[in-house]
Amino acid sequence: TGIKGTVSLTFDGGKPSHLDFVVPVLDRNGLQGTFFVNAAPTPQWLAQGAAWQEVAAMRHEIGNNSSASPCSCAHESSNPNFCLERLSVQQVWETVEASQTVLDVLFPERPAERRTFAYPCYETFTGKGQTRLSYVPLVASEFLAARGGSHRISNEPWSVDLSYVQAWDVEGRTSEQIIEFIEEGVSKGRWVVLVFQGIGESPADLSETTFAEVVDFLDEHNGSVWTETFSRVSSFVGLRRHQRHSSGR
């Protein structure tokens, strides 16, 4: 084929702009995205369930971002009583499982083992000092793949660690900067994973115009750039690795 590289568009937090703006723009261009949501067994979140089911029906992916998104205590926005340095692996894992339970109910067509995960704040540890532990092994055992980040790094498909796939958080970037990164990665046959927060919801967010320009670029280059959900690319990479191993290459 003429495909030279791969791009996955991922969105964090299940924000209003994702439903109101992002999904319609992607649908108009025939592209699919991955939405990592903080699914929780609360009336407020469950009220959004039908909307996300409609998104999934359009072949977009709904992934797990945990129910509470615990991050390092170093972040000013973190709850000082519920941040990673003060939590155990079990406490963090309970937030992951809580989200997984809700997603299992809303999206029974996708088995839990085929779901993907995004590390809140791109952080993978609990505790501090001698009690510091990684919860990557647990994620690797329960999920098809997991997205990390947030540096300007793309992925070599055949060597990438699917339990921590590199991704670039493009908040505050211009469309020219984002497209340049895509072109760099694609020219080397790499897998480019982009992270978007809100779109046009606050001054710090990526603007609607910038996002639309990136989507237009991907649509125009669909003959050479495979734009696909995080889980479908992860599945493809895993399958090709297995085939290579089986053939002894």
Side-chain angles (χ1 to χ4, degrees):
T1 71
I3 297 297
K4 298 178 180 178
T6 305
V7 174
S8 292
L9 307 175
T10 68
F11 306 84
D12 283 6
K15 299 182 184 299
S17 60
H18 298 166
L19 291 170
D20 299 338
F21 178 74
V22 170
V23 170
V25 169
L26 293 177
D27 289 345
R28 281 198 298 271
N29 288 274
L31 300 176
Q32 279 76 46
T34 296
F35 297 86
F36 289 108
V37 299
N38 305 118
T42 63
Q44 181 181 6
W45 201 90
L46 292 173
Q48 306 176 39
W52 288 111
Q53 286 174 319
E54 291 180 14
V55 172
M58 299 299 292
R59 295 189 71 247
H60 300 289
E61 177 190 6
I62 312 300
N64 187 330
N65 196 207
S66 92
S67 63
S69 289
C71 296
S72 169
C73 304
H75 298 286
E76 291 185 2
S77 58
S78 288
N79 178 345
N81 298 314
F82 196 81
C83 49
L84 291 174
E85 287 85 347
R86 295 193 171 100
L87 298 176
S88 66
V89 169
Q90 180 58 36
Q91 287 172 306
V92 170
W93 197 245
E94 286 171 0
T95 74
V96 176
E97 289 187 321
S99 183
Q100 197 78 321
T101 298
V102 175
L103 296 176
D104 286 343
V105 172
L106 290 176
F107 309 103
E109 70 281 359
R110 178 175 289 277
E113 67 272 12
R114 306 306 296 172
R115 197 167 288 131
T116 60
F117 179 73
Y119 296 96
C121 298
Y122 315 109
E123 294 162 339
T124 62
F125 69 92
T126 68
K128 59 184 177 181
Q130 294 183 350
T131 67
R132 186 180 176 107
L133 295 171
S134 169
Y135 68 100
V136 172
L138 264 178
V139 169
S141 69
E142 296 293 329
F143 289 92
L144 171 66
R147 196 210 66 204
S150 60
H151 302 294
R152 193 181 183 278
I153 303 172
S154 57
N155 302 277
E156 202 294 307
W158 312 124
S159 63
V160 62
D161 179 357
L162 288 176
S163 65
Y164 194 89
V165 177
Q166 296 290 339
W168 189 32
D169 189 327
V170 298
E171 188 173 52
R173 306 296 177 176
T174 66
S175 58
E176 290 80 10
Q177 289 172 321
I178 299 168
I179 290 169
E180 179 184 39
F181 178 56
I182 293 171
E183 290 178 326
E184 286 177 5
V186 168
S187 71
K188 299 173 183 176
R190 297 174 74 89
W191 177 17
V192 175
V193 182
L194 302 177
V195 182
F196 298 89
Q197 307 296 333
I199 305 295
E201 294 184 32
S202 73
D205 286 344
L206 209 70
S207 71
E208 292 182 351
T209 299
T210 297
F211 179 74
E213 288 171 349
V214 173
V215 171
D216 286 343
F217 171 83
L218 292 172
D219 185 31
E220 292 167 6
H221 292 80
N222 63 10
S224 60
V225 181
W226 182 36
T227 303
E228 189 51 278
T229 63
F230 188 72
S231 64
R232 293 191 189 105
V233 177
S234 298
S235 293
F236 177 77
V237 169
L239 176 62
R240 289 297 298 270
R241 281 182 180 175
H242 177 72
Q243 291 172 339
R244 281 189 169 196
H245 179 73
S246 298
S247 65
R249 283 196 257 170

